[in-house]
Amino acid sequence: MATDYGYDSGLGFPETVRRHRVPAGLRAPFEGRTWREFGYVLLSLPISIVMFTYAVTMVSLGAGLLVTFLGIPVFAAGLAGCRGLGALERARARGLLGLEVGDPEPLRMRKSGFMAWMGAVLKSGTSWRTLLYSVLHLPWATFSFVVAVNFWVYGWALLTYPLWFWVFPAYVGQDGLQLYGDQTHHIYLDNPFEIGVTALVGLLFTLATPWIVRALTMVDRVMVHGLLGPTRLSARVVELESDRGVVVDTAAADLRRIERDLHDGAQARLVALAMDLGLAKEKLTEDPAAAARMVDEAHGEVKTALQELRDLARGIHPAVLTDRGLDAAMSAVASRCTVPVQVEVDLPARPAPAIEGIAYFTVSELLQNISKHSRATLAAVDVWQVENRLMLQVVDNGVGGADVSSGSGLAGLAERLDAVDGILVVDSPVGGPTRVTAELPWRGERV
């Protein structure tokens, strides 16, 4: 096995790249993954028998008792048991196949109590999918068990035939493994050529078996993922709930930032201004020159407070963005960057205000990162539309090394984009250049 050293695209630390000298086809029969998959196939048959027996028994018993009230709770108990067996199957697939399947949506009960639980179990789509899995998995598990075991046993038996063919003349009373026989003719694999061919056929079977087992377990992966995992709708609901939490946290953080900026900046200056004007009013009759000097200083404080309020308003939502759109707004924020920035906006129309605001603040934060951390001498901003997506790309020739996973401001920016079904992709090898691409859903401006 040879070892190379490369650099990953995030932090630039060397990562080990292993190149096996033995081809994958020859390694497969001895790899741990192959044995885990074979163990999964072997366990599938007894487990599927238990699941099938339980499911059919409980459903039949519940259906038979439907003429009485007892049928419904028995049916619900059977479905609940199938849900538990489905959880065990997900754990088995996770441990032996490495298949990461999320838990399906939990039971949703509006009230507490046995009746509410029973109704939730009966109405849950997860319950019926696990029941379907329990019934369908038995025939497939039987087929995969037979195929895998036969290929595995015959492959290794034929491959090792040169080592154990002596058993036949010593203990069975025949020359070797019988290939064909009737009342007059018998064909045995007993000479060196036949033994060698037998071992070669066994080798082919042995090399093919891991890939056959892998193909069989692919069907199991599909069944577990499709019947025991969460549906697309439930996964989307969970994602939207998470995005809603991110949006709420972001809005709360923005409000705290605005409150802090007002309290520490403009508010403090206005309080000081009020005190200075009060002192100037008292000195107006006694010392007009001092009062005039204090009013002049207060006038300077007013200008500073106004500038801070303008900066704060620009941070909330700049007026140029509302009045003139992304092209002018991004040109304005690019002019405040410490490096020359080329801005190119090619949009057929203005997007929705919410999307437009997110795009503006994304570019603004990326340009701030360039000013603070990149040590670049040139940057470029491109904005365009592709079908129903708004694309942003910010490129600089700095030192690189930016990484979303390091918990930096890029991670927060990625969360904000994800909250509106956006995507942030960072390509920043050590030494540069850095290319950050953002993708947002396109929603046109409402007229």
Side-chain angles (χ1 to χ4, degrees):
M1 180 181 65
T3 303
D4 289 342
Y5 293 94
Y7 289 91
D8 61 9
S9 59
L11 297 176
F13 295 116
E15 60 177 8
T16 303
V17 181
R18 296 184 177 181
R19 294 185 293 108
H20 292 274
R21 292 172 181 168
V22 180
L26 298 179
R27 296 195 318 266
F30 308 99
E31 288 182 334
R33 174 182 176 180
T34 299
W35 289 95
R36 288 193 299 270
E37 292 174 342
F38 184 63
Y40 182 90
V41 173
L42 292 181
L43 291 174
S44 291
L45 182 59
I47 291 176
S48 63
I49 292 175
V50 173
M51 295 180 64
F52 181 87
T53 304
Y54 174 83
V56 172
T57 301
M58 295 300 291
V59 170
S60 301
L61 182 60
L65 293 176
L66 280 179
V67 294
T68 67
F69 177 74
L70 292 176
I72 298 178
V74 170
F75 214 90
L79 292 177
C82 289
R83 291 175 66 101
L85 293 173
L88 294 178
E89 280 293 275
R90 288 193 299 273
R92 187 167 71 96
R94 188 179 302 114
L96 295 178
L97 300 182
L99 179 63
E100 294 295 334
V101 179
D103 295 332
E105 62 274 14
L107 295 177
R108 298 183 180 273
M109 297 186 295
R110 296 182 179 179
K111 299 179 181 179
S112 59
F114 177 74
M115 297 298 294
W117 171 84
M118 188 168 56
V121 170
L122 292 173
K123 291 187 294 184
S124 173
T126 302
S127 303
W128 296 98
R129 290 199 307 274
T130 53
L131 174 63
L132 182 62
Y133 177 87
S134 301
V135 174
L136 294 180
H137 192 248
L138 177 59
W140 173 252
T142 304
F143 172 80
S144 59
F145 180 90
V146 172
V147 172
V149 169
N150 276 279
F151 269 90
W152 198 276
V153 171
Y154 279 105
W156 283 103
L158 296 177
L159 177 62
T160 58
Y161 183 63
L163 303 177
W164 60 273
F165 80 97
W166 58 268
V167 172
F168 292 94
Y171 297 101
V172 182
Q174 61 186 39
D175 296 334
L177 184 65
Q178 183 174 338
L179 185 62
Y180 171 78
D182 55 22
Q183 295 180 352
T184 57
H185 297 85
H186 300 278
I187 300 177
Y188 299 102
L189 303 175
D190 54 356
N191 60 63
F193 174 76
E194 293 174 346
I195 294 173
V197 172
T198 302
L200 180 60
V201 173
L203 177 62
L204 296 178
F205 271 63
T206 303
L207 295 179
T209 298
W211 307 103
I212 294 173
V213 173
R214 192 159 300 174
L216 295 173
T217 56
M218 286 300 297
V219 179
D220 288 281
R221 293 171 186 269
V222 173
M223 294 180 67
V224 172
H225 189 274
L227 296 177
L228 301 182
T231 62
R232 290 185 178 181
L233 178 59
S234 62
R236 181 60 175 164
V237 169
V238 172
E239 181 182 356
L240 291 177
E241 289 177 349
S242 175
D243 292 344
R244 182 181 61 183
V246 172
V247 170
V248 172
D249 294 341
T250 302
D254 289 340
L255 288 176
R256 288 193 299 269
R257 177 182 60 82
I258 293 171
E259 180 182 6
R260 183 178 63 252
D261 291 344
L262 284 173
H263 182 272
D264 298 339
Q267 181 179 346
R269 291 190 180 277
L270 290 176
V271 171
L273 175 62
M275 295 175 62
D276 291 342
L277 289 177
L279 293 175
K281 181 179 179 182
E282 293 178 358
K283 292 182 176 292
L284 186 60
T285 56
E286 300 176 359
D287 190 355
R293 185 171 62 256
M294 296 178 67
V295 170
D296 185 63
E297 293 175 355
H299 183 257
E301 289 291 327
V302 169
K303 291 183 178 179
T304 304
L306 287 175
Q307 183 61 40
E308 290 182 353
L309 288 174
R310 291 192 189 98
D311 294 339
L312 182 60
R314 186 184 297 113
I316 298 173
H317 196 85
V320 65
L321 179 62
T322 304
D323 297 338
R324 302 174 57 188
L326 279 174
D327 195 354
M330 289 184 179
S331 299
V333 73
S335 64
R336 298 193 295 271
C337 188
T338 57
V339 301
V341 180
Q342 179 181 357
V343 179
E344 183 175 348
V345 179
D346 183 14
L347 296 176
R350 293 185 62 173
I355 300 299
E356 194 175 54
I358 294 174
Y360 169 81
F361 287 111
T362 299
V363 172
S364 177
E365 187 163 344
L366 291 175
L367 291 180
Q368 288 181 12
N369 289 341
I370 292 175
S371 298
K372 295 178 182 178
H373 309 296
S374 71
R375 291 184 292 198
T377 59
L378 187 64
V381 177
D382 291 326
V383 183
W384 70 98
Q385 180 189 358
V386 177
E387 295 181 353
N388 61 340
R389 307 295 285 182
L390 175 63
M391 308 296 297
L392 313 171
Q393 190 172 86
V394 179
V395 184
D396 68 79
N397 62 349
V399 296
D403 186 12
V404 178
S405 61
S406 61
S408 61
L410 289 175
L413 192 59
E415 290 181 353
R416 290 194 179 191
L417 293 177
D418 185 64
V420 293
D421 288 338
I423 301 173
L424 184 72
V425 178
V426 179
D427 180 18
S428 181
V430 173
T434 297
R435 184 183 304 273
V436 181
T437 304
E439 182 178 333
L440 288 166
W442 175 272
R443 291 195 290 270
E445 185 180 19
R446 295 182 180 178
V447 181

